[in-house]
């Protein structure tokens, strides 16, 4: 038995006491949020993961408990036994979950002392993120992060319950596996017992979950850690968690139906939000045409309009030459934004250049309908009228144009659209707009590598009616792939897989992977496909990204208990760190950095 607790057992969490417990004896345990001495009476706000309870200590009622209360400071760990009582008239705090009651303490135990923390443990203190990450165990005591992780737990619990009811089986797949560098960079793990060889940490369980379908498990899922050695940003980490699923004997529509119902269950369980099903579907081609990206934010309009045909013969040579060379001209109408200052427009131009655009042309539509713009003089009245009509331009609007290649024009205006949506306050955090993006290209041309690469991954099946194009026009083949997009973020993506060995070999050949390389990297999959692989497909959801949206967080780090920084380091533990030379010798490794 723990002597410091004796026979005490916690009866309630601090945040769970209410008027229903008035008159009951309770035992609470937690951390001192604050201690207030009112010249005799001492009040302690005691905190645990469920909330805060007010303890009242009267020297006349229990001098020993009151004496101990004089010793406690913020973040001391204490246990209190007492009776729940209504707060005196005029002291009720309606902003607190437990604001109607307090605990009249009969006995107090100090379980541990604490140094003064490097920042206040509350939700209002502004603390630099590097300090919070360095002392993450203290940061995690703060209510906002605790709420985030409790909601994340609720997501996982809901997913498991739903998938279990749908006949899915949870199976763990290997963490130490083989490097198959066809996507992001792998994290490599040296093998001591086979010198010179390396394991890779999985970027996803893709191949193993397909093998489980060959094995006859029919419906698999796993909430699994994955690893990618890639550049980081606010919604990306080197290690991340996926809700990973695979199903046999299904088509795309069946998978989408099952999975959007799961997402609806998650929103209902965590936020009490009822989603409308079925969710909208948009083809990749339509998404690129209307929004410039394949992960559109549908909380606001600001759709893109192609103007290539309108401006191809205009006097503005920048536009005309781009169209002549095979590029496109597109624009968006920022309604009511003609009041933007020159600096604001210059800032938008610099933003556009991030995505490769050479510049950003603009037009301010005046009260009389005329254009105020450096490019106005190059267009005829007829061309201006056609552009106004296409963009539904009105007085007070700001028209923004990009002319470049298909890729640069779409990405630039697509990202600019998202940027404006946030700048103008159109992207409300409590509004949720979903869409399935379908019919992606199967392949895209990599000019630098001089070969095709898979848009999703090499195991995605082509659309059946496009199979005949694989030999002569592979760039036109559509994939049986689908992404679920929420508020401009891809939260899930999947596809129907190739289950025929001959088609899989053809796919490898189109990607520039010859038979020898295919056998070396993927021989175990090719062999398995010879033994009666069923038609199958799957999907993976980013649990971290989904939790970030559900909690309204601005950074994915706020929904992960112990995250890495944007430099892929852990400020708490100091990882990654160096190892001693003995360990390197055991692994038959010499450090190039140390030998410099």
């Amino acid at each position: 038995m723990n002597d410091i607790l004796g026979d005490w057992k916690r009866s309630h969490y601090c945040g769970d006491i209410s008027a229903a417990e008035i008159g009951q004896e309770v035992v609470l345990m937690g951390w001192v949020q604050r201690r207030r001495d009112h010249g005799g009476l001492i009040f302690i706000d005691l905190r645990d993961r469920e909330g805060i309870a007010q303890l009242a200590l009267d020297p006349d009622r229990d001098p020993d408990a009151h004496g101990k209360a004089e010793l406690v400071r913020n973040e001391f760990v204490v246990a209190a036994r007492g009776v729940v009582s209504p707060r005196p008239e005029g002291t009720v705090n309606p902003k607190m979950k437990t604001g109607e009651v307090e605990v009249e303490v009969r006995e107090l135990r100090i379980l541990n002392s604490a140094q003064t923390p490097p920042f206040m443990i509350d939700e209002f203190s502004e603390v630099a993120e590097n300090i919070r990450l360095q002392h993450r165990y203290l940061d995690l005591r703060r209510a906002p992060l605790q709420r985030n992780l409790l909601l994340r737990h609720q997501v996982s619990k809901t997913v498991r319950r739903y998938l279990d009811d749908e006949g899915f089986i949870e199976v763990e797949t290997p963490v130490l596996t083989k490097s198959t560098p066809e996507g992001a960079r792998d994290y490599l793990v040296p093998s001591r017992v086979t010198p010179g060889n390396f394991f890779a940490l999985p970027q996803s369980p893709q191949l193993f979950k397909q093998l489980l379908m060959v094995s006859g498990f029919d419906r698999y899922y796993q909430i699994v850690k994955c690893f990618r050695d890639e550049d980081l940003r606010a919604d990306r980490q080197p290690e991340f968690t996926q809700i990973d699923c695979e199903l046999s004997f299904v088509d795309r529509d069946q998978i989408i139906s099952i999975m959007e119902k799961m997402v609806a269950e998650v929103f209902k369980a965590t936020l009490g939000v009822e989603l409308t099903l079925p969710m909208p579907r948009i083809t990749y081609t339509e998404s690129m045409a209307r929004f410039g990206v394949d992960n559109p934010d549908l909380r606001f309009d600001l759709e893109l309009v192609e103007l290539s045909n309108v401006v191809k013969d205009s006097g503005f040579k920048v536009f005309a030459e781009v169209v002549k060379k095979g590029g496109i001209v597109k624009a968006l109408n920022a309604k009511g934004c003609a009041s933007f200052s020159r600096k604001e427009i210059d800032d938008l131009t610099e933003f556009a250049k991030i995505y490769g655009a050479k510049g950003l042309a603009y037009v301010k539509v005046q009260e009389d309908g005329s254009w105020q713009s450096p490019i106005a003089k190059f267009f005829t009245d007829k061309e201006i009228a056609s552009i106004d009509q296409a963009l539904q331009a009105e007085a007070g609007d700001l028209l923004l144009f990009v002319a470049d290649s298909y890729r640069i024009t779409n990405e630039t205006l697509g990202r600019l659209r998202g940027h404006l949506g946030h700048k103008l306050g159109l992207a409300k955090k409590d509004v949720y707009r979903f869409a399935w993006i379908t019919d992606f290209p199967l392949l895209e041309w990599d000019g630098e590598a001089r070969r095709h690469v898979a848009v999703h991954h090499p195991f995605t099946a082509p659309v059946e009616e496009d199979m005949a194009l694989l030999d002569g026009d592979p760039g036109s083949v559509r994939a049986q792939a689908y992404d679920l997009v929420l508020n401009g973020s891809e939260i899930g993506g999947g596809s129907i897989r190739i289950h025929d060995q001959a088609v899989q070999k053809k796919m490898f050949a189109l990607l520039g992977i010859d038979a020898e390389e295919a056998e070396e990297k993927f021989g175990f999959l090719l062999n398995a496909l010879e033994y009666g692989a069923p038609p199958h497909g799957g999907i993976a959801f980013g649990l971290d990204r989904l939790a970030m949206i559900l909690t309204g967080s601005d950074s994915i780090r706020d929904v992960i208990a112990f995250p890495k920084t944007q430099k892929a380091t852990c400020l708490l533990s100091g990882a990654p760190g160096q190892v001693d030379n003995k360990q390197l010798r055991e692994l038959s490794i010499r450090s190039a950095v140390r030998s410099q």
Side-chain angles (χ1 to χ4, degrees), residues 495-508:
S495 67
I496 299 299
R497 321 302 188 190
I498 297 170
H499 70 280
D500 182 279
Q501 188 199 64
V503 177
Q504 187 63 74
K505 286 182 175 180
K506 180 183 284 287
M507 182 67 167
F508 286 148

Side-chain angles (χ1 to χ4, degrees), residues 372-428:
Q372 178 191 340
S373 169
I375 69 172
K377 61 187 177 183
F378 298 107
F379 295 92
T380 66
D381 290 344
K382 183 178 179 181
E383 289 167 342
I384 288 174
S386 296
I387 293 171
D388 283 348
Q389 182 179 8
L391 292 170
Q392 299 181 12
E394 301 173 315
D397 292 347
L398 176 65
L399 314 181
L400 300 169
F401 304 78
V402 172
D404 215 301
S405 67
Y406 175 87
R407 183 188 65 79
I408 289 176
T409 299
N410 276 318
E411 183 170 13
T412 300
L413 276 178
R415 300 301 177 190
L416 186 63
R417 174 184 178 270
H419 177 70
L420 282 169
H422 286 275
K423 178 180 175 68
L424 300 174
L426 303 175
K428 306 292 186 185

Side-chain angles (χ1 to χ4, degrees), residues 326-354:
I328 60 173
V329 179
K330 295 181 86 167
L332 64 81
N333 182 354
K335 302 294 290 185
C337 294
S339 59
F340 275 20
S341 67
R342 182 55 189 264
K343 182 183 184 306
E344 287 178 299
I345 293 175
D346 287 345
D347 288 343
L348 294 180
T349 301
E350 292 305 311
F351 181 89
K353 289 179 180 178
I354 294 172

Side-chain angles (χ1 to χ4, degrees), residues 97-388:
K97 183 179 173 183
T98 61
E100 291 184 286
V101 296
E102 62 186 18
V103 177
E104 295 181 353
V105 176
R106 303 287 196 264
E107 190 174 354
L108 185 72
R109 293 184 180 180
I110 298 176
L111 305 180
N112 209 344
S113 60
Q115 294 185 24
T116 302
F119 51 85
M120 289 292 293
I121 312 296
D122 61 35
E123 53 188 290
F124 307 108
S125 299
E126 292 290 335
V127 186
E129 187 181 43
N130 64 319
I131 301 297
R132 292 197 293 113
L133 291 179
Q134 185 181 353
H135 303 276
R136 188 63 164 182
Y137 46 87
L138 297 178
D139 195 28
L140 287 171
R141 291 184 189 175
R142 297 166 62 239
L145 286 185
Q146 294 205 337
R147 286 195 297 266
N148 287 354
L149 292 185
L150 289 171
L151 183 142
R152 182 186 172 118
H153 162 69
Q154 186 70 18
V155 172
S156 297
K157 186 170 69 171
T158 302
V159 165
R160 283 194 164 95
R161 183 176 63 245
Y162 174 84
L163 293 176
D164 183 63
D165 290 344
E166 290 290 322
F168 285 76
I169 299 168
E170 185 171 12
V171 182
E172 294 180 348
T173 52
V175 174
L176 294 176
T177 183
K178 188 175 183 179
S179 178
T180 55
E182 189 56 37
R185 288 183 294 272
D186 288 324
Y187 276 102
L188 299 177
V189 180
S191 171
R192 179 184 59 82
V193 295
T194 53
N197 292 312
F198 293 81
F199 295 105
L201 302 182
Q203 296 184 31
S204 89
Q206 180 63 45
L207 297 181
F208 288 104
K209 68 178 180 176
Q210 288 191 242
L211 294 177
L212 286 170
M213 297 303 101
V214 180
S215 303
F217 279 89
D218 196 74
R219 292 192 173 193
Y220 139 96
Y221 86 95
Q222 187 179 186
I223 298 179
V224 59
K225 273 292 181 85
C226 301
F227 307 84
R228 291 179 188 171
D229 186 7
E230 57 186 354
D231 296 334
L232 307 183
R233 58 189 185 208
D235 63 347
R236 184 179 286 170
Q237 283 276 295
E239 54 178 309
F240 56 96
T241 305
Q242 286 186 178
I243 303 167
D244 201 62
C245 303
E246 199 79 4
L247 306 81
S248 294
F249 306 110
V250 290
D251 59 20
R252 180 192 72 181
D253 292 345
Q254 289 172 299
I255 293 175
I256 285 177
S257 177
I258 292 168
M259 292 303 154
E260 65 183 19
K261 288 174 185 173
M262 182 189 77
V263 173
E265 286 291 318
V266 167
F267 270 75
K268 183 177 179 181
T270 56
L271 300 183
V273 171
E274 297 275 358
L275 300 181
T276 300
L277 301 180
M279 295 172 180
R281 299 189 193 184
I282 304 173
T283 66
Y284 171 86
T285 300
E286 180 187 354
S287 182
M288 296 301 291
R290 293 171 58 191
F291 308 108
V293 293
D294 58 13
N295 57 340
D297 193 332
L298 302 180
R299 287 174 292 181
F300 50 89
D301 294 326
L302 291 179
E303 293 194 18
L304 314 188
V305 177
E306 184 168 353
L307 300 168
S308 302
N309 286 335
V310 178
V311 303
K312 64 181 181 180
D313 297 319
S314 72
F316 189 42
K317 292 186 177 179
V318 173
F319 286 2
E321 287 297 317
V322 164
V323 177
K324 186 177 180 180
K325 293 177 181 177
I328 60 173
V329 179
K330 295 181 86 167
L332 64 81
N333 182 354
K335 302 294 290 185
C337 294
S339 59
F340 275 20
S341 67
R342 182 55 189 264
K343 182 183 184 306
E344 287 178 299
I345 293 175
D346 287 345
D347 288 343
L348 294 180
T349 301
E350 292 305 311
F351 181 89
K353 289 179 180 178
I354 294 172
Y355 300 97
K358 299 176 183 65
L360 183 70
Y362 73 91
V363 167
K364 292 183 175 183
V365 182
Q366 302 299 290
E367 286 301 319
D368 61 0
S370 63
W371 281 11
Q372 178 191 340
S373 169
I375 69 172
K377 61 187 177 183
F378 298 107
F379 295 92
T380 66
D381 290 344
K382 183 178 179 181
E383 289 167 342
I384 288 174
S386 296
I387 293 171
D388 283 348

Side-chain angles (χ1 to χ4, degrees), residues 559-574:
V559 296
I560 298 172
F562 300 101
K564 305 293 189 293
T565 68
Q566 286 192 303
K567 293 184 177 180
T569 61
C570 175
L571 296 182
L572 172 66
S573 66

